[in-house]
């Protein structure tokens, strides 16, 4: 019988307000792929992430304040391999797109 993969979790809940968004941006880039992150309100930002790897597939639950995440050509060049990300958006507003620029 195989054991389930350990769940990795990260939260900004217990950090001082000034450290929350920088910590979050680092966690997102390590969990997914190299990304540029910004938030309209860094001072009030909060986020929680739970990630589990099952074989070659990562399953992640993200709950966070408003943010803008971009994958630029420079960030793509930093990634070690090709990745595919499938998003199932459950609540809130999400704008997703892909352009050939930047």
């Amino acid at each position: 019988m195989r054991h389930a993969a350990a769940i990795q979790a990260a939260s900004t809940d217990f950090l001082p307000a000034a450290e929350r968004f920088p910590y979050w941006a680092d966690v997102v880039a390590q969990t997914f792929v190299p990304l540029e992150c910004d938030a309209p309100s860094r001072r009030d930002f909060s986020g929680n992430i739970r990630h589990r790897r099952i074989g070659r597939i990562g399953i992640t639950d993200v709950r966070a304040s408003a943010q803008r995440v971009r994958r630029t050509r420079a960030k793509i060049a930093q990634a070690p391999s090709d990745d595919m990300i499938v998003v199932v958006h459950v609540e809130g507003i999400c704008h997703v797109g892909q352009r050939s620029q930047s």
Side-chain angles (χ1 to χ4, degrees):
M1 180 166 102
R2 287 186 145 172
H3 295 284
I7 294 176
Q8 299 171 320
S11 175
T12 62
D13 292 349
F14 303 103
L15 293 171
E19 295 176 23
R20 289 179 185 163
F21 189 78
Y23 172 77
W24 180 259
D26 187 47
V27 167
V28 168
Q30 288 182 37
T31 302
F32 299 109
V33 293
L35 300 166
E36 284 184 4
C37 295
D38 201 1
S41 178
R42 289 182 175 208
R43 183 85 181 143
D44 299 320
F45 189 85
S46 68
N48 294 283
I49 190 167
R50 292 174 11 137
H51 180 76
R52 172 180 279 177
R53 194 160 259 316
I54 301 172
R56 296 180 65 187
I57 298 173
I59 299 171
T60 308
D61 177 27
V62 178
R63 297 167 194 262
S65 299
Q67 61 188 300
R68 179 182 172 127
V69 180
R70 293 183 63 217
R71 191 159 186 225
T72 63
R73 287 180 193 223
K75 293 294 182 180
I76 291 169
Q78 292 175 358
S81 64
D82 292 335
D83 290 296
M84 178 171 52
I85 298 173
V86 177
V87 176
V88 177
H89 187 89
V90 177
E91 184 178 355
I93 298 170
C94 180
H95 300 280
V96 178
Q98 181 172 329
R99 296 184 293 175
S100 60
Q101 302 97 352
S102 55

